[in-house]
Amino acid sequence: MRRLLISALLLCSASVSAQNLDPADYVFPLRDVAGLYSANFGEMRPNHFHSGIDIKTDGVTGKPVLSTADGYISRIAVTPGGYGRAIYITHPNGTTSVYGHLSKFRDDIEKYVHEERYRTRRNSINLYPPADQFPLKQGEQFAWSGNTGSSAGPHLHFEIRDSRTQRILNTITSGVIRTRDDIPPRLVRLYYVEVDSVRGVPVHARPRPVELIEKTPGRYALKQEGALPIGGRGYFILEATDRKNDVANTFGLWRIREFADEDPIFEFRIDGFAFDQTRYCNAVTHYPMQVASRNEVIRLTRLDGCIDDFYPVLKNQALLTPSEGQSQQIRIEAEDDSGNRSILEFRTIRQPAQRDFRAVCDSTALIVDNRRPFSHTAGEASVHIPAGVFYEPLFFSQSSRPAQFAAAPSVAVLSPLYSILDYDTPLHTAATVTIRAYVPQNLQPHTTLGFVRKGKVSYAGGKYKNGAVTLSTRTLGDFCVVADTVPPRIEPRFKAGEPIRTRSITFRLRDNFSGIGSYTATLDGEWILLERNPMQGTITHTFDDSRTPKGRSYTLQLTVTDNCGNKTVWKRTITR
């Protein structure tokens, strides 16, 4: 009977479209919680859209997690970062639900995962059990909520995806998840950006802030009197945020629309996206302002290197091109995922351009066309930028200067500081940076690139080989060659030498610069399983009585290596 059920699930999942979610197909994925939220779908995160919703678990772990619909467990993941402990359930309607940051799985699932991790000797693992191994009915519990992976507090990360394409879908606007929300978005500020073309390259002026006032709830106007002066070609940026009832968290917007004299010229909407599209959030936003703001800072235009998927309406790139003296009526609507809307209305007037371009536009400036690869070498530093790395053409800059900054005492600086564009330049894919430097032989195994920002150096990555360090990076800015020879510190959170009466033992791991790269442990020479919590800086082993019975002594060896190749070995005799 179970095999017939699974066959039916597979047959249905191959034939049902998942693009339009039906709320009747799903139930709420948690039990015994207040039903509050800390993050919504598609909100702007550093270098990605948030791919699901975060459901609060009332400040604790251990809440029952339920299958939102009939299906079967198709994937189980255990990683120190990301979703931590996660389960993926495939459903007969063509969707897959995802549950992240779990504390533990149901006993039969936990046993299967435990055995596979020992069999493969992997602390981190992705498993794809057969469809008939873990079938689930709607509302059936399979795990408990937690705080694992890259989680800053107890909650459940929940997603629904199209099983065929793995496109993540908006569970709130579709009505699958309902929130208590009657609060319209707050419009924080408007910016106007004038656009020109220099030698065929679009050049954007510095955004000019425009202050707003809220006349009545959800109704905004310009703080200034009269029409807003604008140039002959430009667009707006909207800084806004959203709230929901009963929580202090801020949320992202679902849709922004712009009208010029009642003509719809722009719409941004976040109904879903594929994983290879998530980094386009850097083009949707004004990146330099977005990384510095707790609000969302969204361009009301589309950059050259951004895809069309997020823009159902886009006329002439939503650029305003009034003639001299022309006045236009502008309306901007911001809407959240619960249907609350705020509206800003004002008039513009075309006046002579007042450009404030920050790009270097002289005849010697190098132009990077985002449609073609670009390479440049200056002194001992070189960069290679494949096509499609940037979202728009830009003017390239590269320079060097003495490395004068606050380096950690344990980090040796071995080169000048090389500036390649800047930190505020978003990259969609990786560029390659290479810096040549003389490095003493004893430091070469521990040499890497440091990234310098605000006077402090941090680990960037790369290995020294043939007289240079090469790094594949999605962040540009100030780099230098550095060496780190200090090994990680291992601090037991139990009293070594005393019998261990607890079921598990924990170590705290610290590193001065490059971070923990790898870790492994053995008991009497046999590999044992470790659970790492990078948010707390700890690593834990839970004893398996079938492998390490009580009443005996064992030799425990823990080996930890940082990203610069420095190794620490902690070895003691322990007694259970």
Side-chain angles (χ1 to χ4, degrees):
M1 176 63 73
R2 186 170 77 166
R3 290 187 180 275
L4 289 174
L5 170 64
I6 297 301
S7 297
L9 289 173
L10 290 170
L11 181 61
C12 291
S13 66
S15 60
V16 178
S17 169
Q19 291 303 314
N20 298 307
L21 298 177
D22 184 350
D25 290 346
Y26 306 93
V27 296
F28 195 69
L30 279 167
R31 194 167 64 228
D32 303 333
V33 297
L36 303 176
Y37 304 86
S38 57
N40 66 337
F41 179 83
E43 66 182 45
M44 306 298 171
R45 298 288 180 87
N47 300 312
H48 68 280
F49 296 110
H50 186 232
S51 59
I53 63 167
D54 290 346
I55 307 173
K56 289 175 177 280
T57 54
D58 305 339
V60 299
T61 62
K63 296 292 186 178
V65 180
L66 317 176
S67 179
T68 193
D70 290 354
Y72 63 90
I73 295 177
S74 52
R75 179 183 172 190
I76 307 169
V78 180
T79 59
Y83 295 166
R85 286 174 157 251
I87 278 183
Y88 300 66
I89 300 174
T90 296
H91 305 292
N93 66 350
T95 64
T96 296
S97 54
V98 182
Y99 312 75
H101 309 304
L102 305 172
S103 60
K104 61 179 180 177
F105 308 133
R106 199 176 64 193
D107 287 349
D108 56 335
I109 304 169
E110 196 71 61
K111 182 175 183 293
Y112 165 72
V113 173
H114 184 78
E115 290 175 351
E116 286 299 301
R117 293 171 82 183
Y118 266 98
R119 184 182 67 82
T120 59
R121 295 190 172 189
R122 291 181 177 177
N123 293 307
S124 298
I125 199 166
N126 274 284
L127 299 171
Y128 301 87
D132 60 352
Q133 186 161 359
F134 299 115
L136 294 169
K137 300 298 291 182
Q138 185 178 65
E140 183 177 349
Q141 182 180 352
F142 61 87
W144 287 262
S145 68
N147 189 27
T148 57
S150 300
S151 172
H155 72 281
L156 176 71
H157 175 91
F158 177 69
E159 300 175 12
I160 292 181
R161 305 179 183 178
D162 182 306
S163 299
R164 182 179 62 83
T165 64
Q166 289 299 291
R167 178 179 172 85
I168 314 132
L169 306 172
N170 194 327
T171 54
I172 296 181
T173 56
S174 63
V176 170
I177 297 293
R178 299 187 183 277
T179 63
R180 294 191 288 275
D181 181 7
D182 58 11
I183 305 171
R186 184 170 73 91
L187 308 189
V188 178
R189 193 173 287 106
L190 189 70
Y191 300 86
Y192 175 69
V193 180
E194 195 166 340
V195 179
D196 204 343
S197 181
V198 178
R199 291 161 38 219
V201 177
V203 180
H204 297 224
R206 293 182 185 274
R208 175 160 57 94
V210 181
E211 298 299 322
L212 307 177
I213 56 173
E214 188 175 19
K215 294 283 193 179
T216 60
R219 288 282 178 174
Y220 289 79
L222 303 187
K223 189 174 183 179
Q224 70 178 56
E225 297 291 336
L228 177 69
I230 65 171
R233 190 165 181 253
Y235 62 89
F236 290 109
I237 296 171
L238 179 65
E239 182 176 359
T241 188
D242 191 47
R243 299 286 294 273
K244 295 187 183 297
N245 297 36
D246 307 318
V247 296
N249 307 78
T250 58
F251 298 86
L253 303 180
W254 169 56
R255 178 166 69 174
I256 298 176
R257 295 191 293 175
E258 182 182 5
F259 301 81
D261 292 332
E262 297 301 321
D263 181 28
I265 62 171
F266 173 88
E267 181 179 350
F268 163 77
R269 191 169 70 210
I270 186 77
D271 286 324
F273 57 88
F275 270 100
D276 62 357
Q277 296 175 332
T278 190
R279 206 171 173 90
Y280 283 113
C281 69
N282 294 338
V284 167
T285 65
H286 185 281
Y287 183 80
M289 288 195 290
Q290 181 66 58
V291 296
S293 176
R294 297 188 63 182
N295 306 314
E296 295 202 329
V297 187
I298 299 177
R299 295 180 192 259
L300 307 193
T301 188
R302 183 182 68 84
L303 293 183
D304 178 64
C306 188
I307 56 177
D308 291 329
D309 296 44
F310 308 112
Y311 304 104
V313 176
L314 190 68
K315 293 185 178 180
N316 188 34
Q317 300 296 90
L319 294 175
L320 300 173
T321 57
S323 56
E324 193 71 36
Q326 181 183 355
S327 178
Q328 288 181 291
Q329 180 71 20
I330 303 297
R331 184 171 83 253
I332 296 173
E333 299 179 355
E335 188 173 350
D336 66 20
D337 51 21
S338 298
N340 303 297
R341 183 184 305 173
S342 289
I343 298 174
L344 166 65
E345 292 187 285
F346 59 97
R347 296 199 68 82
T348 63
I349 182 72
R350 163 73 190 277
Q351 290 189 353
Q354 295 180 340
R355 299 177 178 87
D356 182 18
F357 295 117
R358 60 179 174 176
V360 178
C361 302
D362 61 41
S363 60
T364 63
L366 296 172
I367 298 174
V368 181
D369 185 338
N370 56 312
R371 297 166 297 180
R372 298 179 179 85
F374 173 86
S375 295
H376 186 259
T377 299
E380 299 301 316
S382 63
V383 61
H384 174 69
I385 299 168
V389 167
F390 300 123
Y391 300 108
E392 58 183 330
L394 51 78
F395 290 87
F396 181 81
S397 62
Q398 182 172 332
S399 62
S400 64
R401 62 186 185 277
Q404 296 177 342
F405 51 85
S410 58
V411 177
V413 180
L414 303 171
S415 79
L417 197 61
Y418 295 93
S419 298
I420 303 171
L421 286 171
D422 58 50
Y423 175 82
D424 288 338
T425 305
L427 279 65
H428 191 70
T429 56
T432 302
V433 173
T434 300
I435 299 179
R436 302 190 63 82
Y438 167 74
V439 177
Q441 189 169 2
N442 65 311
L443 295 181
Q444 291 179 10
H446 311 292
T447 296
T448 186
L449 287 188
F451 183 78
V452 179
R453 185 166 183 252
K454 296 183 178 179
K456 295 183 179 180
V457 62
S458 60
Y459 173 76
K463 300 294 184 183
Y464 187 82
K465 184 178 180 181
N466 298 327
V469 182
T470 297
L471 169 68
S472 179
T473 179
R474 288 184 174 184
T475 302
L476 295 177
D478 295 347
F479 297 95
C480 60
V481 178
V482 298
D484 168 30
T485 58
V486 178
R489 291 165 56 190
I490 300 175
E491 302 170 358
R493 303 288 290 271
F494 57 94
K495 292 184 178 180
E498 295 186 4
I500 295 172
R501 306 187 188 282
T502 55
R503 188 160 178 249
S504 61
I505 54 174
T506 297
F507 297 85
R508 185 175 181 85
L509 307 183
R510 301 176 186 267
D511 189 68
N512 66 304
F513 180 65
S514 63
I516 304 302
S518 64
Y519 50 93
T520 188
T522 59
L523 274 176
D524 286 349
E526 295 292 326
W527 184 90
I528 60 172
L529 183 60
L530 298 173
E531 301 279 359
R532 185 181 173 207
N533 187 329
M535 302 295 285
Q536 296 182 7
T538 59
I539 200 164
T540 299
H541 170 67
T542 300
F543 292 104
D544 183 338
D545 292 342
S546 66
R547 290 180 166 86
T548 53
K550 295 180 180 179
R552 289 182 49 187
S553 294
Y554 301 89
T555 299
L556 170 62
Q557 179 171 306
L558 172 62
T559 303
V560 179
T561 306
D562 69 16
N563 285 304
C564 282
N566 303 296
K567 181 186 297 185
T568 297
V569 178
W570 188 95
K571 188 174 183 179
R572 300 286 191 281
T573 297
I574 63 170
T575 302
R576 292 199 67 201

